[in-house]
Amino acid sequence: MFKLSCNIEITGNKKWSFGAVKNLEIVEDVSVLTDTCEIELPKNIIWKGDEDFTDGKPPIKRGDKIDVWLGYDDQLKKRFTGYIRSISQQTPIVIKCEDSMFLLKQTKLTPKAFKDAKLSDLISYLLQGTGISFKLIDNEIKLGNYRITKPTIAQELQELKDHYLLSSYFRTLDEKDYLYIGLTYPFDNRKHVKFEHGKNIITEDFEYRAAEDIRARVQAQSFDAKNKKTTIEIGDKDGDLIEIRIDGLTESELTKYAKQALLRYKTSGLKGSFKAFGEPSVRKCDIVDIITSDGNTGNYLIKKNTINFGTDGFRQDIEIGTPLETNDG
């Protein structure tokens, strides 16, 4: 019988730690800007520090840094790093946290217009002075004429997602957070872990979909410097609509962009999720090699992982994303 183990460290004016939670949930998701962690504290908690603290209001505040280690039998792995967003005043006390996107939600932006912008130039401007490094997931992307209008960095990143399909999210590599941004999943720093029904898959909820059965169409628009509009539409006329706008592109560049978007949407493979134990641990963007209850197999990138730890045990609820070729990894 494995024993659940955890350690939470919070650093503000002082450094505090504790080794027990009632319930904890971490959500990692490449489709949203922010990973989150929510911790429900037990009634009798001892805050370990220079002088142990046991009474009254928690000795922590919004904006303090937090690191979460989870595991079995004192074999711990870091599963979350970020900042405290809020602390509830009622009992039980609940601490809500966000990853480094918390910092970018607080950082104000100065409006700026770019001519023939490249994605790397835009992100460099957005992150200047933050101390945060970034990695482009794809090759350089041309954005055309671009104007920054949102009040914070995080809101401008959301604008890129809404209008250009460019996802932004943080990954922690060698104890450092990097902002990843692009159209696809990254190819660096990915674990490859096997999950099999009846062994380390507890339950599964999968549906197989063939690419030819997926109905989708892409409508892509681009405006040039003289405000002349170019529109490209490809795919199934009766399919789900995917809208893209990227200014400053030629018709051939816009067509290439539209085809990439359609290809990402229309891919054969399993859709759905499965529940697994807390180990082996995986993160968003890792690769899972799945063997299902009906014998279907395949390699898939992880889109989302919801980690629950506490009174009901230690579980991972893993939602799969893009399927990969067998030798990809």
Side-chain angles (χ1 to χ4, degrees):
M1 189 72 177
F2 294 112
K3 181 187 74 173
L4 297 185
S5 305
C6 71
N7 185 54
I8 316 295
E9 288 189 357
I10 299 176
T11 306
N13 295 332
K14 293 184 178 180
K15 187 171 184 178
W16 301 95
S17 67
F18 54 93
V21 300
K22 184 177 181 181
N23 287 298
L24 180 151
E25 181 179 82
I26 297 168
V27 181
E28 306 176 346
D29 190 345
V30 299
S31 67
V32 297
L33 293 180
T34 312
D35 290 348
T36 62
C37 176
E38 185 170 311
I39 305 168
E40 182 180 339
L41 301 182
K43 288 183 179 179
N44 301 315
I45 181 172
I46 300 175
W47 298 81
K48 297 288 187 180
D50 294 334
E51 296 179 1
D52 292 353
F53 180 89
T54 58
D55 299 319
K57 186 178 178 181
I60 56 176
K61 64 184 185 304
R62 173 181 164 89
D64 284 353
K65 190 174 186 300
I66 183 167
D67 294 293
V68 176
W69 284 265
L70 304 175
Y72 297 104
D73 297 331
D74 297 322
Q75 301 299 308
L76 301 178
K77 293 180 180 177
K78 185 180 286 190
R79 301 305 299 264
F80 182 83
T81 184
Y83 299 86
I84 295 175
R85 188 188 78 200
S86 67
I87 308 160
S88 67
Q89 300 301 312
Q90 73 274 13
T91 302
I93 294 170
V94 176
I95 304 172
K96 295 184 178 182
C97 314
E98 297 181 345
D99 67 3
S100 289
M101 195 60 70
F102 174 86
L103 301 176
L104 302 188
K105 291 178 180 180
Q106 322 303 315
T107 308
K108 302 298 182 181
L109 276 177
T110 301
K112 180 178 173 65
F114 291 82
K115 185 177 180 180
D116 297 327
K118 295 179 180 178
L119 181 59
S120 60
D121 294 334
L122 174 62
I123 302 303
S124 294
Y125 177 81
L126 294 181
L127 296 181
Q128 64 181 349
T130 65
I132 293 174
S133 300
F134 72 93
K135 292 177 180 285
L136 296 186
I137 296 172
D138 314 278
N139 294 327
E140 185 67 83
I141 293 175
K142 293 170 61 177
L143 299 177
N145 297 330
Y146 190 94
R147 183 180 295 275
I148 293 174
T149 60
K150 299 301 178 182
T152 69
I153 297 175
Q155 287 173 302
E156 197 64 45
L157 293 174
Q158 185 64 46
E159 182 79 358
L160 285 170
K161 179 176 178 61
D162 292 342
H163 293 280
Y164 297 86
L165 297 184
L166 293 170
S167 294
S168 299
Y169 47 81
F170 277 97
R171 299 176 74 201
T172 302
L173 310 175
D174 299 324
E175 299 296 318
K176 182 178 179 180
D177 285 351
Y178 291 88
L179 180 69
Y180 278 72
I181 182 166
L183 294 167
T184 60
Y185 289 80
F187 283 87
D188 64 329
N189 297 285
R190 304 187 306 191
K191 289 172 60 178
H192 195 152
V193 180
K194 184 175 181 179
F195 286 92
E196 183 174 354
H197 184 85
K199 291 187 177 180
N200 54 3
I201 292 180
I202 302 171
T203 59
E204 62 182 52
D205 183 14
F206 292 127
E207 174 192 0
Y208 183 84
R209 298 173 66 193
E212 58 268 23
D213 295 331
I214 301 172
R215 311 293 291 178
R217 61 190 172 101
V218 174
Q219 185 183 86
Q221 291 185 344
S222 183
F223 288 82
D224 63 17
K226 297 181 179 179
N227 209 36
K228 180 182 177 182
K229 181 173 71 172
T230 300
T231 301
I232 299 293
E233 187 165 321
I234 60 174
D236 307 303
K237 292 185 177 180
D238 60 343
D240 296 337
L241 177 62
I242 304 166
E243 294 182 287
I244 302 171
R245 175 177 169 178
I246 308 177
D247 294 339
L249 299 186
T250 65
E251 183 173 341
S252 61
E253 290 172 334
L254 189 62
T255 300
K256 181 180 179 180
Y257 204 101
K259 287 180 178 178
Q260 289 176 340
L262 187 63
L263 183 62
R264 287 197 309 277
Y265 194 85
K266 298 185 63 157
T267 307
S268 296
L270 295 171
K271 308 292 181 182
S273 62
F274 64 95
K275 191 178 294 291
F277 298 105
E279 290 288 347
S281 66
V282 289
R283 306 290 298 267
K284 66 183 182 186
C285 302
D286 283 344
I287 302 170
V288 288
D289 180 5
I290 300 172
I291 303 177
T292 68
S293 57
D294 60 3
N296 270 314
T297 63
N299 291 332
Y300 294 84
L301 288 161
I302 296 176
K303 174 183 179 293
K304 180 180 180 180
N305 189 10
T306 301
I307 302 160
N308 284 284
F309 180 97
T311 53
D312 293 329
F314 186 11
R315 299 289 187 268
Q316 300 176 101
D317 194 348
I318 300 165
E319 182 179 343
I320 58 174
T322 305
L324 298 172
E325 298 294 334
T326 303
N327 60 356
D328 192 333

